[in-house]
Amino acid sequence: DLKKAGLLIFANKQDVKECMTVAEISQFLKLTSIKDHQWHIQACCALTGEGLCQGLEWMMSRLKIR
C-alpha cells in the first residue's frame, strides 16, 4: 500500500538562528539514499505559518500524480 507514498518533512524552527538547514537535514536523515519514493523537506516556521502552505501544496501535487 505504500509503494507510491511520498515523504514530506516539515523543517520547523527555521526562524531560530542556528537551526539545521534543509540540506543538513537531508544529509542527517540520509534521504538521498531513498530512490523508490519521492520526498520533500519544507522549511517552515509554525509561529508565523511560513512554509506550511508550500508543504501542503507539495502533498496535494503528489495526490494528483496517483
Side-chain angles (χ1 to χ4, degrees), residues 38-56:
Q38 287 189 346
W39 54 268
H40 178 71
I41 301 174
Q42 179 61 54
C44 68
C45 174
L47 293 175
T48 64
E50 184 178 346
L52 297 177
C53 287
Q54 291 88 342
L56 293 174

Side-chain angles (χ1 to χ4, degrees), residues 15-64:
D15 56 320
V16 176
K17 187 175 184 177
E18 296 188 20
C19 67
M20 291 176 74
T21 65
V22 169
E24 290 170 332
I25 293 169
S26 173
Q27 289 175 346
F28 182 79
L29 296 175
K30 298 178 174 68
L31 294 177
T32 55
S33 67
I34 299 176
K35 305 293 185 198
D36 53 350
H37 294 279
Q38 287 189 346
W39 54 268
H40 178 71
I41 301 174
Q42 179 61 54
C44 68
C45 174
L47 293 175
T48 64
E50 184 178 346
L52 297 177
C53 287
Q54 291 88 342
L56 293 174
E57 287 172 3
W58 181 84
M59 189 183 331
M60 293 301 293
S61 72
R62 290 280 309 134
L63 293 174
K64 291 177 185 175

